[in-house]
Amino acid sequence: MKKNVLSILGIKDEIEEIIDFGFQLKNDVKNGKKLDYLQGKTLALIFERASTRTRASFEVGMTLLGGHAVFLNKDDIKIGERESAEDIALVLSRYVDIIMYRALKKEDLHELAKHATVPVINGLDMDEHPCQILADLMTIKEHKGRLHGLNFVFIGDGDDNLTHSYLLGCTLVGMNITVISHKKHWPSEYFVDQANMIAEKKNLRVTITDDIDAIKDADIITTDTWVSLWYEKERQQIMADLKDYTITQDIMNKAKKDAIFMHCMPIYYGEEVVKEVAHGKQSAIIGEAENRMWVQMALMVKLLSQ
Ligand code: CP
């Protein structure tokens, strides 16, 4: 039966298996092995928002697996304007084997996924970024050798698709999570409740606070852009609210000495983080971007073998 990945919850019991397969693929390709897992398969990439990492990593990843990718931008496809998400889903399902969709409206993503007869992957919507959390967990495992028992700290705009995915993904793999932000920018209650439910069963901590000193036990520190497309009109207010949460080296120094810094990119230097930290000795950001490709390759193989 086809499976969609609209949320990290859709693969909640397979996260570590996918990550470990990502490591295998990375190792194989770096050792010169030619892969043919998805020979003759085609991926449709639908983007209604700009992208560098997601587009390039999916396209190159599909090529490395022996398959092919077709790019469809919002001006060509015009979902909901030129034709419905349902019709696009039905037609694309006859051409391609798997679809990745970065939607402006989450309703369109869910409608397309409902009608597609092939698996649909969320390439980031207003609520979640499941591919990014997979890559981030892979990167953490690469640096720390494990996931279980680590302390993950997010600082910045907590009411953000990535923070939601961190709340779910970190607890699912046995990590404690702390979100540090101005009270006006705490994560949506729904995602905090979901994370708390997972955490309770595993005896983990989910902490939402405005106290920057809550960084002190962090093994991983991360942030994201403060102003995403959906909130551009509120830019000035967000900047004012979050001005004390820019990650500087002084803030990093409050955490464990071997803590790593992560960021999904793109970065707005001087807003959520300073360049000295983003490209400093604790930074894992470039490897994190690379791991998008390996873990998404693993995910596509997994989805197309079911
Ligand atoms: N992190 C991420 O999703 O990057 P892009 O927006 O460039 O795809």
Side-chain angles (χ1 to χ4, degrees):
M1 203 180 82
K2 78 125 181 177
K3 186 174 200 166
N4 299 317
V5 181
L6 307 188
S7 162
I8 192 72
L9 291 172
I11 43 168
K12 67 182 166 65
D13 299 321
E14 296 137 290
I15 294 174
E16 291 224 43
E17 179 195 330
I18 292 166
I19 288 170
D20 289 342
F21 187 40
F23 282 124
Q24 185 191 314
L25 296 173
K26 184 173 185 174
N27 194 48
D28 284 350
V29 172
K30 290 196 186 249
N31 283 311
K33 190 170 171 188
K34 203 166 159 40
L35 307 177
D36 59 1
Y37 289 97
L38 297 186
Q39 187 121 40
K41 303 282 185 195
T42 303
L43 160 73
L45 292 167
I46 309 174
F47 282 93
E48 294 180 337
R49 290 188 56 195
S51 168
T52 301
R53 280 145 291 272
T54 306
R55 178 178 175 182
S57 58
F58 266 107
E59 274 197 38
V60 177
M62 196 60 180
T63 305
L64 287 172
L65 289 165
H68 176 73
V70 176
F71 174 72
L72 298 150
N73 76 30
K74 70 175 183 350
D75 299 323
D76 295 330
I77 201 160
K78 291 188 172 148
I79 293 179
E81 192 183 323
R82 187 165 181 264
E83 57 190 317
S84 67
E86 176 178 356
D87 284 359
I88 286 170
L90 293 170
V91 171
L92 283 183
S93 296
R94 296 291 179 98
Y95 299 145
V96 305
D97 303 279
I98 186 162
I99 298 170
M100 189 242 65
Y101 182 17
R102 174 169 283 190
L104 262 178
K105 293 190 212 145
K106 66 178 179 181
E107 295 78 13
D108 287 339
L109 170 71
H110 287 262
E111 183 71 1
L112 185 132
K114 184 173 134 191
H115 294 286
T117 58
V118 299
V120 175
I121 300 172
N122 178 1
L124 175 121
D125 71 354
M126 202 172 172
D127 279 346
E128 290 190 56
H129 199 349
C131 296
Q132 188 67 54
I133 178 69
L134 281 176
D136 289 7
L137 293 173
M138 179 173 173
T139 308
I140 293 166
K141 194 162 181 182
E142 201 163 41
H143 280 262
K144 300 286 179 189
R146 68 190 166 103
L147 294 171
H148 197 271
L150 294 174
N151 297 319
F152 182 98
V153 172
F154 179 94
I155 303 175
D157 177 19
D159 194 12
D160 170 69
N161 39 28
L162 206 50
T163 324
H164 300 157
S165 292
Y166 285 138
L167 280 163
L168 303 176
C170 290
T171 49
L172 283 168
V173 298
M175 286 160 63
N176 300 304
I177 177 163
T178 300
V179 176
I180 304 175
S181 187
H182 186 286
K183 283 194 172 93
K184 276 168 65 182
H185 299 275
W186 283 3
S188 302
E189 224 168 277
Y190 168 81
F191 290 98
V192 177
D193 289 347
Q194 292 282 322
N196 271 319
M197 276 193 283
I198 301 164
E200 259 170 45
K201 288 189 199 135
K202 296 173 185 261
N203 208 16
L204 302 168
R205 290 187 308 278
V206 175
T207 309
I208 316 294
T209 177
D210 59 359
D211 178 8
I212 197 77
D213 289 332
I215 194 179
K216 70 177 165 44
D217 293 325
D219 296 295
I220 305 103
I221 296 141
T222 190
T223 184
D224 190 14
T225 173
W226 283 351
V227 188
S228 67
L229 179 82
W230 291 282
Y231 301 103
E232 195 56 54
K233 283 191 193 138
E234 295 151 50
R235 167 171 281 277
Q236 266 189 318
Q237 187 59 54
I238 296 171
M239 291 290 160
D241 293 342
L242 297 179
K243 67 177 173 24
D244 296 332
Y245 296 93
T246 301
I247 302 178
T248 59
Q249 193 57 50
D250 284 347
I251 288 180
M252 288 293 291
N253 291 344
K254 291 174 188 269
K256 289 183 182 172
K257 280 198 167 42
D258 63 349
I260 56 168
F261 174 78
M262 298 178 69
H263 192 305
C264 72
M265 304 176 86
I267 300 173
Y268 295 83
Y269 297 109
E271 294 186 11
E272 69 270 20
V273 64
V274 297
K275 192 162 183 183
E276 178 198 5
V277 170
H279 290 275
K281 62 182 189 325
Q282 289 166 280
S283 175
I285 63 171
I286 304 301
E288 177 186 2
E290 178 189 340
N291 285 337
R292 287 288 304 272
M293 184 169 78
W294 305 116
V295 86
Q296 288 162 189
M297 288 165 68
L299 176 64
M300 289 192 288
V301 173
K302 170 97 188 150
L303 292 174
L304 290 177
S305 350
Q306 283 172 340

